[in-house]
Amino acid sequence: MDDFLKKLNKEQLEAVVHTQGAVMVIAGAGSGKTRVLTYRIANLLSKGVDPFNILALTFTNKAAREMKERVIKLIGDGDARNVWMGTFHSVFAKILRIEGQHLGYPSNYTIYDSSDSKRLIKTVIADMKLDPKQYAPSFVASRISMAKSSLIGVEDYANDPDIQTADDSARKPYIKEIYARYQARLKRADAMDFDDLLFNTYLLFSGFPKALYKYQQKFKYILVDEYQDTNHAQYLIIKKLAANTEQICVVGDDAQSIYGFRGANISNILNFKSDYPDFKLFKLEQNYRSTKTIVEAANQIIGYNKDQIKKTVWTDNTSGESIGYIKAASDNEEGNLVANQIFEMKLNNQLSNDKFTILYRTNAQSRSLEEALRQKNIAYRIYGGLSFYARKEIKDILSYFRLIINQNDEDALQRVINVPARGIGKTTMEKIIVCADSHNVNIWQVINEPHNFGLNVNSGIQTKLKNFSTMINSFIVLNKTKDAFEVANHVANSTGLLKFFRDEDTPEAISRVENIEELLNGIKEFTEKAIEKSEGDLSIIKTLDEFMADVALLTDADNDDDEDKDKVTLMTIHASKGLEFPHVFIVGLEENLFPSIQSITTRTELEEERRLFYVAITRAMETVTLSHAETRYRWGNFTITEPSRFLDEIDSNLIDKPVPHFSAPRSDSSSSTKFNQEKPVLRKRNLKPVAQKTSQSSEPSNSEELQIGMNVEHVKFGSGKIISLEGNGPNKKATVHFNSVGNKNLLLRFAKLKIIS
């Protein structure tokens, strides 16, 4: 045995040295998956296999680089550099450089990235004189991409009745023609987009047997990383390449298949045994990353999935601490409690910020966490994304707010005048700027009163400028009498920003809608804090100006030194796959958030959400803390939430349970979880219970008991009589005539009225 193989455990060694026939390695989280792949390549090379006969496919350039570096470290760089190792796209692009003439492409064909593709699609839509709002380039690009990933070409797309019915129902019947023109333009430019690299490789191997045979003979040993993430096109290409010798080794973990929304098909790994009946299965079940408690909890979670390859992950590591549990009163409090706990753990254990990560289901959740970390002066970074207030859609809507407050803010005006697109382009803006400069006035004055300054634009542009100025002026008037949330909500809807992203209906657009929703939630919270402090008095208005002053302080704090790596990491769970951290916080464990409301209609979707939770927990090395809020704002409405069903899937003996802040009423008592049925207890983990609210000397009456004509007492305004009631639930309001101050409009959940008679 080669010396380097002695570093492997028994299961890893077996998977590495079994080099004949089809092999599937199911690698549990933290079990050394990459190690097996690299040692397998090194072992083949040490046995004299020609490096040019080895094909290793990965999903990221980073993974390919790391594997190659590890192989070089094991056996030297002589042979290792000649292994065909890279991402699916890079390897197939190389093959198409060599064989592209079969499909009518030169060897120097151009590769379009996603921005190039969207730009070309946008041009096609304009040439066809279609409405860019109805046919949003991002949506069309996503639709074409999914078709190509499923190996559906232009003709098949146009002739598939189900696809055409779906497009007709979405009021987008011309996508088939856009697809055809887009593909023709690509071909005319001797260009391929990313999806073509897979699609055309499949066409090459399907239509030209000699080319297929050449690469079947060349790649005698095929290795595929993260096999659970392959889509239909990748699966079929691999199957064709391996058809002759079946010398294929796939490595992955069905329990970590979380990219269904990108076209990944978990059945590829689940059905491997059907494709290769004589395959050999190896399971890597020893976890080197996490504590026994974390491993046991992860096993319990994934055990609820029906579609899986059974395995039992175990570890020789210590038992470690119990899983932390935070039950917050609100999403804002959740952020504060997480920040507090990180602060305490740092202080008590002399830990640096980079030992912590906070994982969430959606990007929008970062807002409350960012604000809480800033208040504690804890440095953080957003991994794989932007800080909440730096995201484009948030900057866009904040620019509208800036313009409403200050019409001289020319940067804000130029940012929003054509967002979403309203036909006021670069040429028009240049004319407006020249006109403003010549009259020594600001841009807004020219737009608002174009005739006074002789702006030379056609009647169509005049109408568009008039519509824009009328809209902004209406916002300015509204801002004089309404609170920050009412103005912000009106702006989000009236500008067309929300409608634009909803109509686009792509994963990216949905994320943008969620971010705008979260901004509105933050503004609603900002306004209601003032009402709560004033005991429900709705005459206390927090204006948009005051909110923007607050935001300016938050965003200024964002300009920190990027070179400083000592930061808490915030990221979505999808972005965390493949990473590990000593201390992990998983937030927002609520029904309709995690699992997502869009992923609970079928068992297949729900099981992917559960796998996502499994991935989140298995990122942790030493501690995991789970948290949820009992209330959360949704589109500015105060909503009572249900704890996630996933919390029930971990044995309660593994979890710390601090005393909860309060027990919010359940929307469905029959569905209450064991988390609420059992008496909370404090275990060995040094978690601080959420502070109980101090009760008043005389308890307020239930707002549902209040009726018109009743005499009531208010802590601040004294005695009075209810004149009117409106709304229901947490949004119920009352107009009360008080002897001391006259009529007051009160939000009842903050007013704490006591019935006198």
Side-chain angles (χ1 to χ4, degrees):
M1 182 189 296
D2 289 302
D3 287 343
F4 66 83
L5 295 178
K6 293 176 182 177
K7 297 178 182 178
L8 302 172
N9 68 27
K10 178 175 174 289
E11 290 75 19
Q12 291 171 340
L13 179 62
E14 288 176 352
V16 164
V17 300
H18 188 93
T19 57
Q20 298 306 304
V23 169
M24 180 162 68
V25 181
I26 295 298
S31 64
K33 168 181 68 69
T34 306
R35 172 180 278 251
V36 165
L37 275 171
T38 53
Y39 275 70
R40 188 177 174 91
I41 294 169
N43 181 55
L44 288 170
L45 293 173
S46 70
K47 299 300 182 192
V49 173
D50 188 331
F52 290 98
N53 293 149
I54 300 173
L55 171 64
L57 296 168
T58 68
F59 274 84
T60 66
N61 288 310
K62 180 185 174 187
R65 278 196 308 272
E66 285 181 1
M67 283 171 58
K68 186 160 281 192
E69 286 166 6
R70 290 196 197 185
V71 174
I72 290 171
K73 198 171 180 181
L74 289 173
I75 63 165
D77 64 354
D79 286 339
R81 294 194 182 279
N82 294 323
V83 173
W84 277 57
M85 186 185 300
T87 64
F88 284 87
H89 291 90
S90 66
V91 169
F92 296 160
K94 188 175 177 181
I95 291 173
L96 289 168
R97 294 275 183 216
I98 301 167
E99 310 293 343
Q101 75 276 5
H102 293 296
L103 302 173
Y105 288 91
S107 60
N108 63 340
Y109 68 85
T110 302
I111 298 174
Y112 280 18
D113 64 18
S114 56
S115 60
D116 296 327
S117 297
K118 285 179 186 175
R119 193 159 47 245
L120 179 54
I121 287 169
K122 188 175 181 180
T123 302
V124 170
I125 290 167
D127 289 347
M128 292 175 66
K129 295 183 170 51
L130 296 173
D131 183 354
K133 294 178 183 177
Q134 183 180 356
Y135 290 91
S138 294
F139 175 84
V140 176
S142 175
R143 192 82 173 139
I144 292 172
S145 176
M146 289 301 285
K148 289 184 179 180
S149 295
S150 301
L151 300 176
I152 299 171
V154 170
E155 288 186 18
D156 290 336
Y157 191 98
N159 295 326
D160 188 305
D162 292 335
I163 291 175
Q164 293 314 307
T165 298
D167 284 351
D168 289 343
S169 299
R171 293 176 52 250
K172 295 175 174 62
Y174 290 107
I175 288 182
K176 61 184 176 185
E177 190 174 339
I178 298 172
Y179 185 6
R181 291 194 183 199
Y182 167 71
Q183 209 57 32
R185 291 283 293 270
L186 281 174
K187 189 69 178 65
R188 195 169 73 198
D190 286 331
M192 299 185 201
D193 63 21
F194 275 4
D195 296 301
D196 284 329
L197 298 176
L198 302 181
F199 191 96
N200 286 337
T201 301
Y202 175 78
L203 291 182
L204 174 70
F205 291 156
S206 298
F208 300 90
K210 288 183 179 179
L212 173 61
Y213 182 74
K214 172 182 173 181
Y215 288 96
Q216 285 175 336
Q217 294 302 108
K218 178 176 181 58
F219 299 133
K220 292 184 169 62
Y221 296 90
I222 299 171
L223 299 92
V224 185
D225 190 17
E226 304 286 12
Y227 191 64
Q228 76 280 351
D229 294 334
T230 52
N231 63 25
H232 186 58
Q234 290 162 333
Y235 162 74
L236 288 179
I237 294 168
I238 294 164
K239 194 174 179 186
K240 282 182 178 296
L241 282 172
N244 266 10
T245 62
E246 296 194 348
Q247 297 277 48
I248 179 171
C249 173
V250 302
V251 180
D253 183 7
D254 56 293
Q256 296 186 64
S257 178
I258 60 173
Y259 295 121
F261 67 96
R262 292 184 192 165
N265 188 349
I266 191 175
S267 65
N268 293 346
I269 195 167
L270 296 178
N271 296 335
F272 188 82
K273 60 186 177 185
S274 301
D275 293 330
Y276 306 96
D278 298 326
F279 86 112
K280 181 73 174 175
L281 173 65
F282 297 96
K283 295 181 182 180
L284 306 184
E285 297 174 305
Q286 182 174 1
N287 179 295
Y288 291 94
R289 176 187 299 157
S290 310
T291 64
K292 282 187 172 72
T293 297
I294 293 168
V295 169
E296 187 177 346
N299 283 341
Q300 290 171 2
I301 291 157
I302 205 63
Y304 280 83
N305 271 9
K306 182 178 177 183
D307 292 336
Q308 63 170 298
I309 298 167
K310 291 290 184 181
K311 61 181 178 299
T312 304
V313 180
W314 59 278
T315 185
D316 273 338
N317 294 339
T318 62
S319 293
E321 296 186 25
S322 299
I323 291 173
Y325 171 46
I326 292 174
K327 183 178 183 179
S330 67
D331 47 347
N332 225 36
E333 185 179 72
E334 180 184 42
N336 289 329
L337 290 172
V338 168
N340 287 344
Q341 188 158 321
I342 290 173
F343 184 83
E344 288 183 14
M345 289 174 72
K346 281 180 60 184
L347 198 65
N348 294 339
N349 302 291
Q350 289 77 55
L351 298 172
S352 54
N353 290 323
D354 60 1
K355 303 299 182 188
F356 299 88
T357 190
I358 306 173
L359 303 180
Y360 35 75
R361 180 64 180 82
T362 67
N363 275 307
Q365 290 169 257
S366 77
R367 181 195 61 83
S368 59
L369 296 161
E370 289 185 62
E371 292 180 6
L373 290 168
R374 283 193 181 108
Q375 288 168 10
K376 282 285 180 186
N377 202 27
I378 298 173
Y380 69 88
R381 66 177 183 132
I382 305 290
Y383 182 93
L386 294 170
S387 174
F388 183 81
Y389 289 103
R391 292 167 191 159
K392 181 186 182 300
E393 61 278 9
I394 299 302
K395 279 184 167 293
D396 286 343
I397 198 165
L398 290 180
S399 293
Y400 272 109
F401 299 166
R402 285 164 51 192
L403 183 59
I404 292 165
I405 295 164
N406 174 18
Q407 291 81 58
N408 291 331
D409 189 336
E410 295 193 348
D411 177 67
L413 191 153
Q414 290 189 61
R415 183 178 182 103
V416 303
I417 194 166
N418 204 39
V419 176
R422 49 177 64 93
I424 304 173
K426 184 179 177 183
T427 303
T428 301
M429 281 308 302
E430 287 172 350
K431 288 182 179 180
I432 292 169
I433 291 167
V434 169
C435 184
D437 288 345
S438 66
H439 289 84
N440 198 27
V441 296
N442 63 52
I443 295 173
W444 169 251
Q445 286 178 270
V446 174
I447 292 170
N448 201 34
E449 304 166 1
H451 299 297
N452 291 350
F453 301 100
L455 179 64
N456 183 24
V457 292
N458 63 43
S459 58
I461 295 296
Q462 286 178 24
T463 301
K464 290 169 183 175
L465 292 173
K466 178 67 175 173
N467 291 341
F468 177 74
S469 66
T470 300
M471 178 180 71
I472 298 299
N473 281 317
S474 72
F475 296 160
I476 294 167
V477 171
L478 194 71
N479 191 43
K480 292 175 181 176
T481 57
K482 300 296 183 181
D483 68 32
F485 173 73
E486 290 175 286
V487 177
N489 193 41
H490 183 72
V491 169
N493 286 284
S494 299
T495 56
L497 267 177
L498 280 172
K499 185 178 186 302
F500 174 75
F501 292 130
R502 283 177 181 143
D503 289 348
E504 202 170 282
D505 195 30
T506 62
E508 182 186 38
I510 290 169
S511 178
R512 293 187 189 281
V513 170
E514 289 171 345
N515 288 336
I516 294 174
E517 174 192 355
E518 183 57 29
L519 176 68
L520 295 176
N521 292 340
I523 299 173
K524 181 71 169 180
E525 222 162 20
F526 173 79
T527 59
E528 293 212 339
K529 275 182 182 175
I531 298 169
E532 184 175 13
K533 286 178 182 176
S534 64
E535 304 291 345
D537 186 359
L538 289 170
S539 66
I540 304 297
I541 294 179
K542 275 288 188 181
T543 65
L544 195 63
D545 309 47
E546 292 173 291
F547 174 76
M548 289 302 289
D550 255 25
V551 168
L553 295 174
L554 288 173
T555 51
D556 284 347
D558 225 13
N559 298 324
D560 49 18
D561 183 8
D562 286 334
E563 294 303 310
D564 178 12
K565 303 300 183 194
D566 183 24
K567 297 176 183 178
V568 174
T569 300
L570 280 68
M571 69 174 87
T572 63
I573 302 167
H574 281 103
S576 75
K577 189 163 174 285
L579 304 176
E580 60 183 28
F581 297 88
H583 307 284
V584 172
F585 290 77
I586 306 169
V587 300
L589 278 157
E590 298 143 33
E591 286 294 298
N592 299 332
L593 179 56
F594 193 18
S596 164
I597 193 170
Q598 294 158 330
S599 303
I600 55 176
T601 55
T602 68
R603 180 170 60 79
T604 300
E605 292 170 335
L606 180 60
E607 290 198 352
E608 178 153 325
E609 288 289 293
R610 186 176 285 112
R611 292 193 295 271
L612 194 59
F613 186 37
Y614 175 85
V615 166
I617 283 191
T618 55
R619 298 312 92 201
M621 300 162 72
E622 298 175 30
T623 68
V624 173
T625 302
L626 310 176
S627 76
H628 69 92
E630 293 192 306
T631 61
R632 192 175 289 271
Y633 281 100
R634 297 285 294 175
W635 292 110
N637 292 318
F638 184 78
T639 306
I640 295 168
T641 67
E642 295 278 343
S644 170
R645 68 191 73 190
F646 297 152
L647 290 169
D648 276 352
E649 296 173 2
I650 304 173
D651 193 306
S652 59
N653 292 326
L654 298 178
I655 301 179
D656 281 335
K657 294 182 192 169
V659 177
H661 185 105
F662 70 94
S663 294
R666 312 286 296 180
S667 62
D668 178 7
S669 58
S670 65
S671 66
S672 63
T673 68
K674 68 187 179 191
F675 266 69
N676 291 300
Q677 293 165 353
E678 296 174 3
K679 184 179 179 181
V681 295
L682 280 170
R683 296 190 185 278
K684 63 179 179 180
R685 190 93 175 272
N686 185 27
L687 295 181
K688 298 269 185 178
V690 182
Q692 298 283 351
K693 285 190 175 179
T694 55
S695 59
Q696 297 177 326
S697 55
S698 57
E699 287 295 319
S701 302
N702 187 329
S703 62
E704 296 304 316
E705 297 173 0
L706 299 174
Q707 295 178 22
I708 296 172
M710 282 184 169
N711 292 312
V712 293
E713 188 172 40
H714 186 273
V715 174
K716 182 178 177 183
F717 304 127
S719 59
K721 178 178 283 189
I722 298 175
I723 298 173
S724 67
L725 292 166
E726 62 176 292
N728 50 57
N731 297 316
K732 194 170 185 179
K733 303 172 186 174
T735 302
V736 182
H737 179 78
F738 291 101
N739 300 329
S740 58
V741 294
N743 289 355
K744 282 286 181 183
N745 195 17
L746 303 174
L747 193 62
L748 291 180
R749 63 187 161 97
F750 296 138
K752 301 174 185 174
L753 296 176
K754 182 183 177 186
I755 298 171
I756 300 172
S757 61

